Amino acid sequence: MSERTAIVVGGGVVGLSTAYHLARRDFGRVLLLEKGRPGDGASSRAAGIITGLMWSETGVQARKASLGRFRELSLELDGYRFRDVGCLNLFDAVSWPEREKLLPLYDRLKVEYEVLDLAQMKHRWPELAFSGEIRGLYDPLGGYSEPDEYIPALARKCVQLGVEIRQGCQVTGFLEDAGRVAGVETTAGKVEGDAVVCATHVWTRKVMERLGGWQLPVKAFVHQRYLTEPLAAEMKIPVVNANPYGCYFRPATGGRLLVGVESVEREEFRPPSAGFDMLELRAPDELRDRARRDLLRLVPAASGAPLTREEKVGLLAFSLDGEPILGRIDALPGLFVGTAFHSGGFAYNPVAGMLLAELVADGVTSIDVSAFSPDRFEAGEVADFTASSVTQGEYAGIGGRRRH
């Protein structure tokens, strides 16, 4: 029997993770096609934050597996270490009742958490300055990865396991044979395969237009994050999803802090082509100022560490219902997709790659992710969603409640 071939399109963390997990399974020939360099899209611009305290049963189960894999990857990948500092998710009086309803789900799925009031948070992390009716939902297993460590470490491991990574190779179309997706057309020629995994993030709609106009309901929004100069003294704080304040922050390499801010008034961004490069994105100067003000309000001790001139501007991808899109497409046998991981693509990537590899190799997954199926949407609602234009704040899945 001839060797099986899997083609992974997209060299971000989801694509790299898929290739890695396929190679670990000795699937056969695994090719990863990336139009630029691995990770130079949204993945290198990510905050790298993860919490397991999600809003759906499927999301909780997937993140639980992802948290486990991050810890295992710290042992599997040379030069990478998961920072298990915990993740503190903040809620105000308006948003807390909705999240409080999920606590029985966390209990049933045996997910660790602590509910903290303002006094308890101040006692545990005196460097943090919250006020008002704020409730904390602490995930002791949460934390973060540094993309600059994780991406090259994962890419190196892929190569060591025999994955063929083709850089500067843009997919321009798909090969079909008897109603089945049988490979791709690229700027370097045709590549035939038994399975094609599309892990192209916000480029997914443009890439899949080559399949007779086939569409998935995905919208993209610009997001930005910044780094401080080194602090006078290192802080022992967790990742903080400061949802009521419209921002988040975490420790960063070199004794610094990373801070990201929302821009709810900004219109959705429509990538003009499959060759679009995120280097073209810019953030307004006032967002840097807002990030600085938000950080100082919540972490006064950061006053002596101004923001550097470096900024990372990328794109987040959201689906019609706010849940990831992951699985096979029944109408297009041989094609698998993983996209729209809201603001938590980095957080999902270990489990997303594992599940996509399971689907390609075995046809079934170890976790029931039918709720993430690409086939869950009706054609009419897909058309309406893709035709509409909304701001980040208007999109029902954002508003500060669905983060990382």
Side-chain angles (χ1 to χ4, degrees):
M1 183 180 294
S2 60
E3 184 180 47
R4 296 179 297 178
T5 297
I7 302 167
V8 180
V9 184
V13 288
V14 174
L16 285 167
S17 177
T18 303
Y20 173 61
H21 283 92
L22 281 167
R24 287 184 78 219
R25 299 172 64 94
D26 294 323
F27 174 81
R29 186 185 182 206
V30 180
L31 289 84
L32 187 146
L33 311 181
E34 164 56 44
K35 67 181 181 62
R37 295 174 300 174
D40 70 355
S43 296
S44 60
R45 294 162 169 78
I49 293 169
I50 181 170
T51 176
L53 303 177
M54 306 305 287
W55 51 82
S56 70
E57 180 162 346
T58 305
V60 171
Q61 290 176 325
R63 285 295 185 87
K64 189 176 182 179
S66 214
L67 281 164
R69 286 296 294 133
F70 271 123
R71 286 168 167 80
E72 293 167 352
L73 286 163
S74 293
L75 302 176
E76 297 169 16
L77 305 180
D78 293 334
Y80 165 71
R81 178 175 61 86
F82 177 67
R83 271 71 166 187
D84 54 352
V85 297
C87 183
L88 179 63
N89 304 282
L90 300 183
F91 299 87
D92 57 18
V94 174
S95 59
W96 173 245
E98 179 184 351
R99 185 51 62 103
E100 188 175 24
K101 294 176 183 176
L102 293 173
L103 300 186
L105 172 66
Y106 301 157
D107 292 335
R108 178 165 59 84
L109 297 178
K110 296 180 172 55
V111 175
E112 295 184 44
Y113 67 88
E114 291 181 68
V115 178
L116 304 173
D117 61 24
L118 197 59
Q120 290 170 317
M121 289 186 282
K122 285 184 176 181
H123 175 74
R124 191 174 297 191
W125 302 290
E127 302 94 339
L128 305 181
F130 309 138
S131 60
E133 296 184 59
I134 296 296
R135 191 69 61 94
L137 183 62
Y138 179 60
D139 176 1
L141 299 181
Y144 69 95
S145 302
E146 289 290 3
D148 290 346
E149 293 177 1
Y150 182 81
I151 294 168
L154 186 55
R156 286 194 301 269
K157 196 65 173 181
C158 282
V159 173
Q160 290 172 11
L161 292 177
V163 175
E164 181 182 342
I165 297 178
R166 297 185 183 179
Q167 303 183 69
C169 184
Q170 183 175 330
V171 169
T172 58
F174 292 85
L175 304 177
E176 296 184 64
D177 182 20
R180 181 179 181 85
V181 174
V184 294
E185 297 178 352
T186 78
T187 49
K190 296 181 179 180
V191 183
E192 296 181 348
D194 300 282
V196 176
V197 179
C198 190
T200 48
H201 188 44
V202 297
W203 293 271
T204 300
R205 283 174 58 181
K206 286 295 182 183
V207 171
M208 291 189 62
E209 282 177 355
R210 282 76 183 267
L211 282 165
W214 218 91
Q215 284 287 353
L216 288 171
V218 178
K219 288 187 179 297
F221 297 95
V222 179
H223 185 71
Q224 49 285 314
R225 66 171 179 83
Y226 307 90
L227 283 169
T228 70
E229 297 287 356
L231 304 172
E234 186 176 354
M235 293 185 187
K236 300 295 185 181
I237 61 173
V239 171
V240 179
N241 281 325
N243 297 336
Y245 302 95
C247 67
Y248 62 85
F249 54 92
R250 68 161 173 83
T253 299
R256 300 179 294 174
L257 293 178
L258 178 150
V259 57
V261 293
E262 299 287 1
S263 48
V264 296
E265 68 284 351
R266 185 180 289 178
E267 292 283 338
E268 68 175 274
F269 183 88
R270 296 179 180 251
S273 69
F276 167 76
D277 194 315
M278 287 193 190
L279 287 173
E280 301 173 33
L281 296 172
R282 294 291 183 274
D285 289 341
E286 56 263 27
L287 288 179
R288 176 186 295 275
D289 297 334
R290 185 194 304 177
R292 177 68 174 162
R293 289 195 304 270
D294 288 346
L295 184 63
L296 291 183
R297 176 170 52 163
L298 302 177
V299 192
S303 60
L307 297 183
T308 67
R309 294 309 302 170
E310 176 188 356
E311 65 179 15
K312 295 285 189 179
V313 185
L315 292 170
L316 310 177
F318 292 82
S319 74
L320 172 62
D321 60 10
E323 294 282 33
I325 299 175
L326 186 149
R328 66 169 64 85
I329 298 177
D330 289 342
L332 300 167
L335 181 64
F336 305 81
V337 64
T339 189
F341 295 99
H342 46 87
S343 60
F346 211 103
Y348 270 111
N349 90 82
V351 72
M354 181 187 80
L355 294 169
L356 286 165
E358 290 173 352
L359 279 172
V360 170
D362 304 328
V364 295
T365 56
S366 54
I367 299 172
D368 179 5
V369 286
S370 55
F372 293 171
S373 170
D375 293 324
R376 69 185 186 268
F377 306 105
E378 298 292 335
E381 62 183 2
V382 171
D384 291 344
F385 184 73
T386 54
S388 67
S389 181
V390 298
T391 65
Q392 186 171 1
E394 290 168 339
Y395 171 63
I398 310 181
R401 288 186 293 277
R402 297 196 166 185
R403 193 193 304 281
H404 304 125

